[in-house]
Amino acid sequence: YSFVSTLAEGMYQLPVFQRALYNPQMAAHYAKGHLSKLKNLVYKGARRNALLYSAVFLTAGLLYPLIRPILDPQDIYGETPLLFGIVMSGMLVASLFSPFHSVFIQMSRPYIYSLFMGLIFAVTTILNFILIPVGEVKGAAVATALSYCCTAPL
């Protein structure tokens, strides 16, 4: 599961990179008081991200079973493809809006972003306490996927 988690975190860097591209646009719209343009940017970007990340994560899912034996030869039980699929499904949902997570920082409201991230931490912790005893490593993967999904409503 550690290997799957590391790969997922690496994949998450794609939307983080996109954030650097969107930040100047978000800041400009906010500075000019164009909140409707800011909102349109976010929703248009989310629709674009749905197509982009569906393709990226589907490709990663198809390639994973081929590269797993090379990169993760310790997968004795062959569970990591399923775990990868579970975690990446949550990552796909999160990817829709994660490039826009810094909007509150751009709007000089970092405390909202901090509260949001604290809430995500709490949800992740609670889900792990509930799901790991029930589903073991699969429960951890589901908890991770669901916590990624919780970041989408931002």
Side-chain angles (χ1 to χ4, degrees):
Y1 178 72
S2 174
F3 178 69
V4 168
S5 182
T6 301
L7 281 179
E9 189 60 37
M11 296 290 283
Y12 190 69
Q13 296 312 303
L14 295 172
V16 169
F17 168 74
Q18 256 189 318
R19 190 176 300 165
L21 302 175
Y22 281 114
N23 278 348
Q25 296 173 61
M26 290 189 303
H29 289 321
Y30 179 72
K32 294 176 183 173
H34 297 154
L35 297 183
S36 63
K37 286 184 180 183
L38 177 58
K39 183 179 175 182
N40 288 339
L41 174 71
V42 170
Y43 286 109
K44 186 176 181 180
R47 285 191 300 274
R48 196 175 309 135
N49 290 347
L51 295 173
L52 171 67
Y53 291 113
S54 291
V56 168
F57 294 157
L58 178 63
T59 302
L62 293 172
L63 291 176
Y64 184 81
L66 301 173
I67 62 169
R68 182 201 47 85
I70 298 164
L71 299 177
D72 189 20
Q74 300 300 318
D75 183 20
I76 299 168
Y77 303 106
E79 287 187 314
T80 61
L82 173 63
L83 300 175
F84 185 74
I86 292 170
V87 172
M88 292 313 293
S89 64
M91 181 71 68
L92 175 61
V93 173
S95 298
L96 302 178
F97 290 100
S98 60
F100 307 103
H101 282 176
S102 62
V103 69
F104 294 116
I105 295 169
Q106 297 291 327
M107 296 170 67
S108 299
R109 294 190 175 102
Y111 59 91
I112 295 174
Y113 178 79
S114 295
L115 287 172
F116 180 71
M117 295 313 293
L119 177 65
I120 297 304
F121 172 76
V123 167
T124 303
T125 302
I126 291 167
L127 287 172
N128 275 300
F129 274 116
I130 294 169
L131 296 176
I132 290 175
V134 174
E136 298 174 343
V137 71
K138 290 178 189 121
V142 170
T144 299
L146 291 173
S147 63
Y148 278 135
C149 290
C150 289
T151 66
L154 175 68

